[in-house]
Amino acid sequence: MSEFEERLEKVEARIEAACRAAGRARESVRLLAVSKTKPSEAVEEAARCGLRFFGENKVQEVQHKRPLCAEGLEWHLIGHLQSNKAKVAAPLFHMIHSVDSLKILRALDAHAEQTLPILLQVNVAGEAAKFGLAPEAVRAVLEAANASVHCEVRGLMVIPPFSPDAEKTREFFRALRLLRDRLEEETGTPLPELSMGMSHDLEVAIEEGSTWVRIGTDLFGARG
Ligand SMILES: *Cc1c(COP(=O)(O)O)cnc(C)c1O
């Protein structure tokens, strides 16, 4: 077994255990393999092991990497996007997890040529140095997306404040889920997706309803 296969097996076992503990079906959680900074060979190995969804945080890196990788993979943007990159990003990604302003929503809508699934990133903790919409600003962006031609909001995404103690992130995951529930009720928009949970806190995220766990380090090893 390769090093990657061993790491994947461990991550998979953790996801399965968390789903079981939460009384959820394994299929209700998708594994987004965060391949940022890793070469196309790493993506290819992951793809040979059956992974299909890859998370990246830089447009340029994916422009370079995607043509080197097998077709049929899905590329997801999980990092902040500047509006001058929207034109390149719209056709490059299958889903954008990190829509964090009305401005970027409008830029993506203007450049997309087909339906573009997006998630709205929420700065649940109100951290000054972090990207993401303030919770009270999400509804207006959701309604703008609903009125847009191409952008289709599928749910919400959060990057909670880092804590080595995963249990401390629970309140932020829960807040994202409750915000989602409220927005569904208030606007009637189905928001099935919650992108939350990384290497060290995927269990807590799954217990709180995550449908996309974004795993880099525990799959590909530490980033340089
Ligand atoms: C890098 C990154 C991850 C992966 O983090 P790991 O701790 O390496 O699993 C997840 N989400 C976002 C938004 C990231 O930038």
Side-chain angles (χ1 to χ4, degrees):
M1 213 193 283
S2 74
E3 225 179 300
F4 180 82
E5 285 172 297
E6 278 175 29
R7 285 194 292 251
L8 174 59
E9 200 163 88
K10 277 189 203 151
V11 167
E12 187 52 49
R14 288 172 59 197
I15 295 173
E16 276 170 29
C19 285
R20 213 174 312 117
R24 300 181 54 189
R26 170 64 188 87
E27 304 77 59
S28 68
V29 180
R30 264 144 316 155
L31 172 55
L32 184 67
V34 176
S35 48
K36 64 187 184 194
T37 78
K38 301 294 176 184
S40 58
E41 289 79 8
V43 172
E44 289 288 74
E45 180 172 22
R48 278 196 302 276
C49 294
L51 297 187
R52 271 194 52 218
F53 308 112
F54 293 87
E56 294 276 345
N57 64 348
K58 291 205 170 76
V59 173
Q60 252 180 315
E61 191 173 330
V62 180
Q63 276 184 294
H64 167 76
K65 208 185 281 184
R66 185 175 162 173
L68 301 174
C69 296
E71 286 178 42
L73 305 179
E74 276 199 19
W75 297 87
H76 291 226
L77 183 67
I78 59 174
H80 175 68
L81 182 61
Q82 286 171 317
S83 34
N84 63 3
K85 302 247 175 79
K87 186 176 181 170
V88 179
L92 192 60
F93 291 99
H94 294 81
M95 182 148 102
I96 297 187
H97 292 225
S98 45
V99 173
D100 57 8
S101 70
L102 199 53
K103 188 176 173 198
I104 196 65
L105 173 83
R106 296 236 156 93
L108 286 168
D109 191 46
H111 293 293
E113 287 176 356
Q114 51 194 24
T115 299
L116 181 62
I118 62 170
L119 305 178
L120 301 180
Q121 181 178 348
V122 188
N123 186 352
V124 172
E127 291 174 282
K130 283 250 182 89
F131 291 110
L133 294 156
E136 59 276 12
V138 178
R139 181 169 171 173
V141 180
L142 173 59
E143 284 171 344
N146 287 348
S148 79
V149 180
H150 298 111
C151 292
E152 198 172 287
V153 181
R154 301 273 168 86
L156 306 179
M157 180 270 222
V158 70
I159 306 172
F162 178 79
S163 166
D165 176 4
E167 198 51 47
K168 293 221 165 80
T169 59
R170 183 182 298 278
E171 62 173 301
F172 304 108
F173 296 147
R174 183 169 296 171
L176 193 74
R177 171 166 52 82
L178 294 174
L179 176 62
R180 184 274 305 273
D181 293 349
R182 202 175 78 219
L183 289 165
E184 279 191 330
E185 202 174 293
E186 288 176 0
T187 69
T189 312
L191 299 169
E193 308 293 350
L194 290 174
S195 172
M196 54 191 202
M198 307 182 5
S199 287
H200 73 294
D201 56 14
L202 70 88
E203 286 88 352
V204 178
I206 288 172
E207 284 169 32
E208 294 299 331
S210 174
T211 64
W212 286 99
V213 289
R214 310 181 304 262
I215 311 299
T217 308
D218 284 1
L219 275 180
F220 294 107
R223 288 179 292 274

